[in-house]
Amino acid sequence: GYFNTDVAAGKKANEVMKFDLKQLMAFGINEIADVQIGIGMNDEDYNETHFEPVQIKTPLAEKYDYKKDTYQAAMKNKVVETLYGMKLLSYSDKELYNKNGLKIVSEAVIEKSGGERAVFVEIVNDTAETLHSSFSDISLNNLVVTYSTWQTDKINPGMRKIVALDTSNMLDDSLKETFGISKIGKVACNFAVKDKEYNIVGDEEQLSFEISEKEVNLDTSGTEIYNEKEVKIIYKGVVEDSGELSDDTHLVLAVENNSGDSISVGDVYKSLSVNGYMINALCSPVKVPKGGKGFFDIALHDYDIEEAGLEEIDEVKEAEITLEIKDGNEKKIDEVTVTMK
C-alpha cells in the first residue's frame, strides 16, 4: 500500500491507502492488527524530508500474536499456487544468514505461469535500527549476470520483509540462448547489510539458492581468443537484442576465471574496430569471482554500425578490441588485443 498527494500551504488533504488482498493472503495475513507507515515529504524545490515510521493500531492489536510467522505458514500451505497459479518449486525455513543485525529465515523458489523463476527471501530485522538488505553480483547457472548492486531494500526496526529476486529481467533472452540457459537451476549472489545511511555493515557474504541440479546447464563453447594468467576468454559470436525496442548488436565474450582471486575485464577506450573500421561501443567492465564464469558484452548501437559502413548484422565479419584484465585490487594483470571472427 502507498499514498501520494499534493497539499498546498495552509491546507489539508485526505488520502486513502489501499492494499492488494491477494498479496496480503499470500503473506498469510487474514486480519490486520496494525499498519506501519514511513512518510516522506518533498517541497516545491524538491527538498526531501523523511520521518520515522508511524504505527496505526486496530482493535485487534491488543490480542494479536506477533510471534507467529504467517508468511511461512502460507508458503507451507502453497497459498501462492492457489492465488496466482504459480508453482512452488522449493521452500526451506532453514536460517541461511544471521549477521550484522539481519536474519534470512526462509527461502522459496517460485515458477510463474510463463516459466520464469524468482527467489523469495524472508529477511528479519531484530534490531532497534533501520537496516537495508543488499543483493549484488548475481549469477544464474554459475554465470555472473549482474556486476554491481542489483537490489537494496529497507527493513524497519523489528520488522520482516519478503524480497523477490526475479530472474526474468536479469539476462536478456538472446543471451540466455547464447549460453544455453533454458531453465534457471541455481541462483547465487553476494549479500550485504547496510545501515540507515547505506554504509555496509561487516563483510559481504555469498549466498546460493539451489533449484535443480539437472537444470544447471551452461554453454561456454565458442572460439578461444585468450588463455593466459589462468584466465580464458571465448568469443561466443554476434547476438541481436531480443527486445522490440532495441536494435543493438552485441559481440559476446565468455570469461572463465580459473585463478585464486577475483578479476575484472574491461576494454581500452576507443580500441574497437569492426571489419577494419574504428567504431564506438558501450562496454562495461565485468567482475568475475575466483573459479567463476561471466561475460563481457560489447554493445554496438545501430547508428554506430551504420556510420562504420555496415548495414546488416551478418556483415560483422571480424572485430578487434584491446582488453585490460585486473585482479581484485585493481592491479593490471594483462593488456591484450584480441580478434573475433
Side-chain angles (χ1 to χ4, degrees):
Y2 71 94
F3 69 88
N4 186 12
T5 186
D6 294 325
V7 185
K11 304 299 180 181
K12 301 178 181 178
N14 292 322
E15 188 67 20
V16 176
M17 178 178 285
K18 298 180 180 180
F19 299 90
D20 186 287
L21 179 59
K22 288 176 68 175
Q23 187 175 33
L24 292 177
M25 293 173 66
F27 288 169
I29 299 174
N30 52 30
E31 55 183 358
I32 298 178
D34 72 84
V35 177
Q36 189 178 87
I37 308 171
I39 299 175
M41 179 181 68
N42 295 332
D43 62 19
E44 60 184 6
D45 295 321
Y46 298 99
N47 298 309
E48 294 186 8
T49 303
H50 293 275
F51 302 96
E52 292 298 318
V54 296
Q55 189 179 47
I56 303 171
K57 294 185 176 182
T58 75
L60 296 175
E62 186 176 346
K63 296 183 179 180
Y64 187 78
D65 181 9
Y66 284 92
K67 293 183 180 180
K68 65 181 179 181
D69 192 328
T70 60
Y71 167 77
Q72 289 196 12
M75 275 297 175
K76 291 174 182 176
N77 291 326
K78 299 185 177 182
V79 173
V80 291
E81 294 190 351
T82 304
L83 290 175
Y84 295 102
M86 299 177 178
K87 186 176 181 180
L88 182 62
L89 297 181
S90 66
Y91 172 77
S92 172
D93 57 5
K94 178 182 178 181
E95 188 174 272
L96 190 63
Y97 180 92
N98 187 351
K99 293 180 182 178
N100 306 313
L102 291 185
K103 295 189 296 186
I104 296 179
V105 297
S106 77
E107 313 84 47
V109 179
I110 304 293
E111 184 172 271
K112 302 177 184 179
S113 57
E116 303 91 351
R117 293 178 174 180
V119 179
F120 284 25
V121 185
E122 182 184 8
I123 307 175
V124 178
N125 177 6
D126 278 336
T127 74
E129 304 293 331
T130 297
L131 296 173
H132 296 84
S133 63
S134 176
F135 294 86
S136 63
D137 302 323
I138 298 175
S139 66
L140 305 178
N141 289 12
N142 297 321
L143 178 74
V144 180
V145 296
T146 71
Y147 300 98
S148 58
T149 300
W150 177 258
Q151 185 168 333
T152 299
D153 292 276
K154 179 180 179 179
I155 307 176
N156 290 337
M159 298 292 118
R160 69 183 65 225
K161 184 174 182 66
I162 312 303
V163 175
L165 301 175
D166 189 349
T167 66
S168 63
N169 56 357
M170 293 179 181
L171 189 66
D172 189 84
D173 287 342
S174 61
L175 290 173
K176 288 179 182 177
E177 183 178 352
T178 298
F179 285 96
I181 301 176
S182 57
K183 289 285 188 180
I184 307 301
K186 180 181 179 181
V187 179
C189 62
N190 286 337
F191 178 78
V193 178
K194 296 183 179 181
D195 62 18
K196 190 175 182 178
E197 305 300 326
Y198 294 93
N199 300 307
I200 293 181
V201 181
D203 297 324
E204 285 188 326
E205 187 164 320
Q206 189 172 69
L207 305 179
S208 182
F209 308 95
E210 301 285 347
I211 304 172
S212 171
E213 292 184 2
K214 295 180 179 179
E215 295 174 347
V216 185
N217 300 315
L218 191 64
D219 178 7
T220 56
S221 63
T223 304
E224 184 179 298
I225 58 175
Y226 178 84
N227 193 349
E228 299 285 343
K229 316 290 185 180
E230 298 182 296
V231 176
K232 183 188 293 187
I233 300 177
I234 298 168
Y235 177 50
K236 294 288 293 179
V238 180
V239 179
E240 191 174 8
D241 259 343
S242 64
E244 295 180 358
L245 301 179
S246 175
D247 294 323
D248 289 354
T249 299
H250 301 261
L251 307 179
V252 180
L253 307 180
V255 180
E256 296 184 15
N257 178 15
N258 299 309
S259 72
D261 188 14
S262 63
I263 63 165
S264 64
V265 177
D267 67 310
V268 173
Y269 184 60
K270 287 188 176 296
S271 65
L272 176 68
S273 65
V274 176
N275 293 4
Y277 290 87
M278 301 304 296
I279 186 172
N280 293 323
L282 178 62
C283 306
S284 299
V286 299
K287 183 172 67 175
V288 185
K290 61 180 181 180
K293 297 180 176 67
F295 69 93
F296 184 70
D297 181 19
I298 305 169
L300 309 175
H301 295 304
D302 190 48
Y303 59 86
D304 288 323
I305 294 176
E306 292 178 357
E307 282 189 357
L310 307 172
E311 296 181 358
E312 300 292 337
I313 187 172
D314 292 338
E315 291 190 25
V316 180
K317 302 298 183 183
E318 179 177 303
E320 188 176 274
I321 192 170
T322 301
L323 301 175
E324 279 188 340
I325 304 172
K326 299 179 180 180
D327 64 17
N329 296 317
E330 292 297 306
K331 180 181 178 181
K332 186 187 292 187
I333 300 173
D334 203 357
E335 180 174 313
V336 60
T337 299
V338 295
T339 301
M340 297 160 278
K341 295 182 179 181

